Amino acid sequence: MKLIFEQGAPGRTGIHLPAADVPAKKEMEHLIPPEYLRRDPPALPEVSEVEAVRHFVGLSQLNYGVDTGFYPLGSCTMKYNPKVNEEIARLDGFSGVHPYQSEATVQGCLELLYNMDRYLCELTGMAKFSLQPAAGAQGELTGLMMIKAYHESRGEGCRTRIIVPDSSHGTNPASAQMAGLEVAEIKSNRSGRVDLDELKKNIDGRLAGIMLTNPNTLGLFESEIKEIADLVHQAGGLLYNDGANANAILGIATPGAMGFDVIHLNLHKTFSTPHGGGGPGSGPVGVKESLAPFLPKPLVEQAEGRYYLDYDRPHSIGRVKAFFGNFGVVVKACAYILSMGPEGLRRVAEDAVLNANYMKQALKGYYELPYDQVCKHEFVLSGSRQKERGVTTEDIAKRLLDYGFHPPTIYFPLIVREALMIEPTETENMDTLDRFIAAMIKIAGEVEQEPEMVRKAPHTTVVGRLDGVKAARKPVLKWRPEARYERLE
Ligand SMILES: *Cc1c(COP(=O)(O)O)cnc(C)c1O
């Protein structure tokens, strides 16, 4: 594709600029130090309107997203985002307000925040939520800071050890580190779950708590969660739930009942807000009653039919994000929750789990399935069989692009070699699931027949196989005439 900088011809233009209403350059020159004066005209492309429009529309059509196709990115929950959510978030009363407006003039917005706290509490079995954190990872940091503050308030500041399973999302140990906690990683057992003996070995007087994802990143439910909770609580620790992907439990089980004391949710995953490309997100944090005093402030409260911001919270860990967090994201999630209703949300969980199991059963004859059990919202295959033929999981992911699919998450969780982590979500129908299954089976066959071809994939995309290492070490972030994408041969 020709970049816009390479199009056009001298003198071609698509704009008519109005006459300047400031003095011409010549009259101003004596006011500007010479080193700041431009000597040569900028090297901008000279293109017509139609060239500019075609360029940008062309770029937009190269984009892949949930609106263009299947996006089975395990752990990231790329579900379809109903457009009504966008309509609601765009309403003037939500998008046109200013965060410094007085409480009296934003009662509707405060009511929405207040109600969202209630809805999320009901869905998770928690007592109170803060909607401030802007992402899952920030929710984790916030939750861990509260756990720390809780122990300190009881004169147990020595509790600085946090247990994290080896299957956990990378943000878990990173957030713990940032919160000033010491990470103790424990190995999962043969069934892919927390090993109770390993857990016991890591419990001592320094225990702050444990961070768990349930269902875990293998898509497996921690069936011994009650035993885990009892062990941790008896030792004076708390349970943190990484609830980024709550798709499997919505309306069916609550982390509160499982014994968790703190949870973060990713509204930009489970609650259908678009994500990817860096945001915006929203990672609300919910806690049981015992931790509520430590929540970030302010919280939205209600008295005599009015909503207000409560800053009078002496034990609060303080503010973690400006104003009310990413309010627009909260509005979209609220629209989603209300339009689905309790029955709809339960159906989300049922269909997400059904879709994942359907796909797992269809693919397990072609790819190794290290943990061959009923899964929840996602499952993890291994490309180790294909690796023996010299084809890596990355090659398989690239080949999927040729079939028009976004690849699943790869090389995570770390405990599965050549991992392919697939999360179909509830929003896909049987046709799409079957098409993806067919592509995966076709690729498994290609690995046997023509591995070299798979190794060089993709073959049909605008840009071929890129040098991943070079892209990370020497990223080309700016167009230069001499810079071109290099195809790997
Ligand atoms: C996505 C995810 C996170 C991090 O969420 P961000 O919003 O990307 O910070 C944490 N844990 C799990 C299991 C996730 O899938």
Side-chain angles (χ1 to χ4, degrees):
M1 193 182 67
K2 235 178 166 190
L3 291 166
I4 197 157
F5 298 97
E6 295 154 7
Q7 297 175 27
R12 208 179 280 175
T13 182
I15 47 162
H16 300 282
L17 292 175
D21 59 357
V22 292
K25 184 177 153 202
K26 267 202 286 309
E27 295 161 40
M28 302 294 285
E29 256 179 23
H30 65 283
L31 296 173
I32 303 169
E35 67 267 31
Y36 294 125
L37 281 173
R38 194 194 284 285
R39 300 275 156 228
D40 308 306
L44 292 174
E46 296 181 63
V47 294
S48 63
E49 176 173 330
V50 70
E51 281 171 308
V53 168
R54 284 180 188 158
H55 169 76
F56 287 110
V57 172
L59 280 185
S60 77
Q61 288 172 341
L62 296 179
N63 220 359
Y64 192 93
V66 276
D67 290 355
T68 44
F70 184 49
Y71 214 129
L73 209 53
S75 198
C76 293
T77 315
M78 298 295 282
K79 59 169 76 175
Y80 176 71
N81 311 288
K83 298 303 166 238
V84 65
N85 301 351
E86 304 290 330
E87 291 269 323
I88 303 286
R90 261 201 304 269
L91 290 177
D92 257 4
F94 292 134
S95 63
V97 292
H98 192 281
Y100 279 131
Q101 266 176 247
S102 67
E103 279 170 16
T105 64
V106 290
Q107 284 293 303
C109 294
L110 295 179
E111 182 180 356
L112 183 138
L113 292 170
Y114 184 87
N115 289 344
M116 269 300 269
D117 169 24
R118 298 290 88 217
Y119 302 151
L120 298 182
C121 282
E122 188 176 336
L123 284 166
T124 58
M126 293 290 156
K128 193 87 191 148
F129 262 83
S130 164
L131 302 165
Q132 270 184 30
Q138 200 190 10
E140 290 169 23
L141 179 64
T142 306
L144 293 168
M145 284 165 69
M146 285 192 278
I147 288 180
K148 228 176 140 205
Y150 168 87
H151 290 311
E152 280 164 9
S153 76
R154 296 157 52 96
E156 296 196 331
C158 58
R159 291 188 178 271
T160 54
R161 226 169 119 84
I162 189 104
I163 298 174
V164 178
D166 56 4
S167 63
S168 77
H169 194 271
T171 51
N172 290 190
S175 301
Q177 192 83 28
M178 272 187 86
L181 296 168
E182 179 202 332
V183 178
E185 187 179 280
I186 56 166
K187 280 204 167 24
S188 303
N189 63 20
R190 295 242 303 276
S191 79
R193 295 177 175 82
V194 170
D195 188 318
L196 288 184
D197 291 328
E198 275 284 309
L199 175 62
K200 284 178 200 158
K201 272 191 237 154
N202 278 276
I203 289 181
D204 60 21
R206 292 174 299 152
L207 182 71
I210 186 169
M211 288 184 94
L212 284 182
T213 308
N214 195 21
N216 65 27
T217 59
L218 294 165
L220 303 174
F221 193 80
E222 295 285 351
S223 41
E224 293 181 305
I225 186 63
K226 281 305 274 180
E227 288 81 352
I228 297 169
D230 288 345
L231 278 171
V232 172
H233 282 148
Q234 277 156 20
L238 295 172
L239 278 87
Y240 184 97
N241 183 197
D242 177 342
N245 324 106
N247 246 18
I249 59 164
L250 284 181
I252 293 176
T254 70
M258 294 175 206
F260 286 103
D261 303 287
V262 192
I263 186 175
H264 86 262
L265 296 168
N266 277 24
L267 299 188
H268 51 290
K269 289 180 183 168
T270 308
F271 297 94
S272 98
T273 283
H275 65 107
S282 177
V285 178
V287 292
K288 291 265 176 71
E289 208 61 72
S290 56
L291 282 159
F294 306 100
L295 280 166
K297 65 181 179 185
L299 292 175
V300 181
E301 297 293 358
Q302 187 195 28
E304 293 158 15
R306 307 291 291 172
Y307 297 93
Y308 67 97
L309 294 168
D310 180 15
Y311 286 91
D312 186 18
R313 305 186 57 82
H315 298 290
S316 166
I317 59 162
R319 194 182 259 296
V320 298
K321 177 89 175 79
F323 305 115
F324 314 106
N326 283 330
F327 179 66
V329 179
V330 179
V331 176
K332 288 176 212 180
C334 184
Y336 178 71
I337 289 173
L338 288 176
S339 55
M340 298 301 281
E343 297 301 320
L345 290 175
R346 190 187 168 95
R347 183 82 193 278
V348 163
E350 290 167 352
D351 288 350
V353 171
L354 186 61
N355 282 356
N357 279 285
Y358 175 74
M359 206 169 247
K360 169 175 69 72
Q361 289 306 105
L363 289 176
K364 75 178 202 187
Y366 302 88
Y367 295 85
E368 197 189 313
L369 177 64
Y371 301 95
D372 189 359
Q373 305 161 42
V374 172
C375 66
K376 295 297 175 216
H377 60 299
E378 65 194 4
F379 62 100
V380 182
L381 298 172
S382 165
S384 52
R385 218 180 281 169
Q386 287 70 24
K387 184 76 186 286
E388 277 164 28
R389 304 276 304 161
V391 176
T392 64
T393 280
E394 184 178 6
D395 299 332
I396 295 166
K398 299 286 187 199
R399 183 66 181 143
L400 274 169
L401 300 176
D402 286 332
Y403 290 104
F405 291 109
H406 193 289
T409 298
I410 56 173
Y411 300 117
F412 175 73
L414 302 177
I415 58 173
V416 173
R417 279 177 52 224
E418 298 292 317
L420 284 146
M421 185 195 212
I422 302 175
E423 180 178 3
T425 82
E426 77 286 1
T427 52
E428 301 302 332
N429 59 31
M430 287 272 288
D431 298 343
T432 307
L433 301 182
D434 286 339
R435 279 195 301 113
F436 182 78
I437 290 166
M440 285 291 286
I441 293 174
K442 187 115 192 288
I443 294 170
E446 289 169 352
V447 171
E448 298 301 319
Q449 307 297 323
E450 22 178 2
E452 204 45 38
M453 183 275 292
V454 181
R455 265 203 293 273
K456 286 188 180 153
H459 302 281
T460 61
T461 49
V462 178
V463 178
R465 181 76 72 105
L466 299 171
D467 184 336
V469 177
K470 214 167 153 192
R473 301 259 161 83
K474 286 190 185 163
V476 180
L477 302 174
K478 193 161 102 176
W479 182 83
R480 277 175 283 120
E482 70 277 14
R484 286 286 183 281
Y485 291 123
E486 280 170 36
R487 245 189 129 86
L488 278 189
E489 289 311 328

